Structure formats: C-alpha cells, structure tokens
Amino acid sequence: MENKANPVSKLKRKNTLIAWSFIAPNFIGFLLFTLIPVVFSLILAFMKWDSFSTPEFIGLKNFSKMMTDETFWISLKNTFLYTIGVVPLTLVCSLGLAILLNQKIRGVKFFRTAFFFPYVTSLVAIAVVWNMLFHPTMGPINQFLKLFIANPPGWVSSSQWALTAIIIVSVWRGMGYYMILYLAGLQSISKELYEAAAMDGANKWKQFVNITVPALRPTTFFVTIMLVINCFKIFDLVQVMTDGGPGRATNVLVYHVYNEAFVKFNFGYASAIAMILFVIVLAITVIQFKWNQVQERV
C-alpha cells in the first residue's frame, strides 16, 4: 500500500507545484502593484505627507478639507456630468452599430475592424488629432458648422463646450469596443425567436423591444458597469486635450488627485480624494447589481 501511495502523493505534489507556478506570478503582481498600494493609500488618507518629510497622522482633517475645497466639488460635478453624457451615448451608439453590423452586408468584417480600431489606437494620438479637428477657427468641424450657424462652438477652448468635446471623443473611441460585446450577445440570440415573432405579426420594432433588449440584458449590464467605472477613472483624455481647463471646466476627480499628489505633493489629501472616489464607484456598482437583480425577478 505504501509503495502505491508514494507515487500518487508525489504526482499530487508535482501538480500542485505546477499549478502554483502558473498562479504565483499573478498573485505576486497583484500583491505588489495593487493590494499593497491600495492599503498604503488608505493609511495615507489619514496622514499629512509630501514625500519629503515623515508622514504625520492628522485623523479626518483631509476629509474635512474636502468639504470646503471648491475644486473638489467642481471636479466631482464634472465627473458626474461626464459619466451621464458618456454612458447612455456609448450604449446607444455601440448597440446601434452592433445591430447594423450584425446584418449580412458587403464588407462587414472591414467595418467591424474599422470601428474597433480607435480603441486600440494610441490615446495621445487620438487626443492630438481631435484637438486639431476641434480647433475653433481652422478645424474642419467648425468649418463645416459655419455652413449652418454663424458662431460655432469653441470646443476645447471654451469652458462651456470643453467637457462636451471630451465626451464626444470618449464615445467615439469606446463604442467600437462595446460594439464587439453587443455583437457577441446578438449572435447568441436564437433566430427562431425572431421567426416566431414575425409569424405572429410583430414588426422589427416590437421584435427589438420584446426579444433583443431582454436577451441583451446581461450584456447591457456588463457594459454599463464597465462604462461607469471607466468614466470615473477618466484622466488621459483630459490631460492631453484640455489639461483640466479652460479654467476648471474639465477638471475631473482623477485629474484633481493627480494635481494634489504630483503637482502640489499633498499625497495624504490626494489619497483621501482617491478613497472617496473608490467609495462612490463601489456604491454605484452595488446599486447597479441590486437593480439588475430586481430586473431579473420581473
């Protein structure tokens, strides 16, 4: 019995070591680059630290400072406005593209690739090109708009239109990626459902409302979650296109964290803002999960 047990136990240990050899790099990377920085940031939120001196514990002063920080509230408002603008527009555009490119049309693979391409293109290059397109006097967008209106928007040079310009670029860049997700969802819907609905006299709109939308609910839920999280993390487009301006018109929460940490060296206060951002995203995500559970029961 012992002779038979030893080879089995050796094989089991070998398989366990092999499994850990595949899992360990991911766990080590998560520990070093995610878990430890998050824990350190949480601790730092209750500290005053400029990276040069010794951290000083100040309790809740960083959080109380937010209550009177006008830039924080402007950044919070801009982040919510950006999210409210990007999420529904991206959902509509990506679903519309998916439905269109789910048809048997000539060159459909080319169009799918073309719409997905902006998502994998350098974001800095995208931002620079769109800044040229949005130029208030020489940009082709305003040159076209002048055919219909006398005074087209100033876009990134205008405090009223800068956030709108970033929303437009974000929707344009992201809709191709979420189109792919919707395409996968559409292709998993049985064609027999549409054939049965057509035989019952349902037109295309009724088929969309009663078959497509309910069948795509899991996909829409996932897309919405990802969009909301990405919207609250927006930084790169703001940094390249407007640098938070004009004034504070496009100053969002992550950009405010960046300024406090790496421009003003208020790492404790920046960590406190980051914790508030984390709580907001977590709360919105939990609400979305609860809402999805309610909808599934209906």
Side-chain angles (χ1 to χ4, degrees):
M1 293 293 293
E2 293 181 0
N3 293 333
K4 292 182 178 179
N6 285 335
V8 173
S9 60
K10 287 182 180 179
L11 180 61
K12 186 177 180 180
R13 283 196 300 269
K14 181 180 178 181
N15 290 337
T16 303
L17 288 173
I18 292 173
W20 275 108
S21 68
F22 283 102
I23 298 172
N26 183 58
F27 273 111
I28 293 171
F30 174 79
L31 180 69
L32 293 177
F33 301 109
T34 302
L35 184 60
I36 291 177
V38 167
V39 173
F40 182 70
S41 179
L42 177 61
I43 297 171
L44 204 59
F46 302 93
M47 302 281 187
K48 180 181 180 181
W49 187 51
D50 59 2
S51 79
F52 303 107
S53 58
T54 304
E56 175 188 351
F57 180 78
I58 58 173
L60 298 174
K61 287 185 179 180
N62 283 328
F63 296 95
S64 62
K65 180 182 177 181
M66 288 182 215
M67 300 301 103
T68 57
D69 184 1
E70 185 182 7
T71 302
F72 168 76
W73 292 107
I74 291 174
S75 302
L76 182 63
K77 183 192 74 172
N78 289 340
T79 303
F80 273 103
L81 289 175
Y82 173 81
T83 305
I84 292 170
V86 169
V87 173
L89 283 174
T90 305
L91 283 171
V92 172
C93 292
S94 56
L95 178 56
L97 283 174
I99 293 173
L100 181 64
L101 297 180
N102 195 40
Q103 311 297 320
K104 292 181 179 179
I105 57 177
R106 189 174 182 180
V108 66
K109 292 182 179 180
F110 167 78
F111 289 113
R112 289 176 182 175
T113 305
F115 281 110
F116 180 75
F117 187 72
Y119 188 79
V120 296
T121 304
S122 168
L123 193 137
V124 174
I126 288 173
V128 170
V129 170
W130 274 97
N131 265 351
M132 295 178 182
L133 295 175
F134 279 132
H135 193 281
T137 56
M138 304 186 65
I141 292 176
N142 276 6
Q143 293 292 330
F144 174 75
L145 290 177
K146 283 180 181 179
L147 299 174
F148 308 97
I149 54 178
N151 298 309
W155 300 114
V156 292
S157 62
S158 167
S159 58
Q160 295 180 337
W161 288 94
L163 190 62
T164 303
I166 293 176
I167 290 172
I168 292 172
V169 178
S170 297
V171 173
W172 174 83
R173 180 176 183 264
M175 64 183 182
Y177 172 74
Y178 297 108
M179 172 200 71
I180 298 297
L181 300 180
Y182 270 122
L183 270 173
L186 286 170
Q187 291 174 2
S188 66
I189 303 174
S190 175
K191 294 181 180 179
E192 295 177 356
L193 294 174
Y194 293 103
E195 293 172 359
M199 291 179 64
D200 290 337
N203 56 29
K204 293 293 184 181
W205 174 249
K206 289 184 178 179
Q207 291 177 27
F208 173 76
V209 172
N210 296 304
I211 298 176
T212 306
V213 172
L216 289 177
R217 183 176 295 162
T219 305
T220 301
F221 171 67
F222 175 76
V223 168
T224 305
I225 291 286
M226 296 302 296
L227 274 171
V228 170
I229 293 174
N230 288 332
C231 284
F232 274 87
K233 294 193 304 179
I234 180 66
F235 169 77
D236 33 24
L237 272 179
V238 173
Q239 170 73 12
V240 180
M241 290 187 68
T242 63
D243 201 21
R248 291 176 290 184
T250 59
N251 201 332
V252 290
L253 276 178
V254 177
Y255 190 79
H256 188 36
V257 171
Y258 167 80
N259 275 332
E260 290 294 334
F262 301 106
V263 177
K264 300 179 181 178
F265 297 102
N266 295 327
F267 287 98
Y269 184 52
S271 297
I273 299 172
M275 288 300 104
I276 294 298
L277 177 61
F278 170 76
V279 170
I280 292 172
V281 173
L282 180 63
I284 293 175
T285 303
V286 170
I287 291 171
Q288 287 178 298
F289 270 98
K290 294 293 184 182
W291 174 256
N292 185 64
Q293 290 175 355
V294 172
Q295 292 298 309
E296 287 180 348
R297 296 193 192 111
V298 176

